[in-house]
Amino acid sequence: MLYSGAYILAGAPKIGKSFLVAQIAYHISTGKSLWNFDVHQGTVLYLALEDD
């Protein structure tokens, strides 16, 4: 679903972008399947720059 690299997710405020990215990052870092897709375990760097 995603190739290795850097991604920017943009959209309207308060629609769940941070939650979505945190969920995807968790599944990639643990290697657990997500939405019935197989996930290859990998290293994740999640920068939540808008959070305090």
Side-chain angles (χ1 to χ4, degrees):
M1 193 159 100
L2 297 173
Y3 294 102
S4 296
Y7 288 88
I8 296 175
L9 179 65
K14 302 294 179 189
I15 62 170
K17 297 179 301 290
S18 296
F19 182 79
L20 173 66
V21 172
Q23 184 178 23
I24 293 170
Y26 168 77
H27 284 268
I28 291 172
S29 67
T30 60
K32 294 182 180 180
S33 64
L34 176 64
W35 307 315
N36 294 324
F37 288 98
D38 291 332
V39 175
H40 298 285
Q41 188 173 8
T43 303
V44 175
L45 174 64
Y46 171 47
L47 302 173
L49 301 177
E50 76 281 357
D51 295 340
D52 290 338

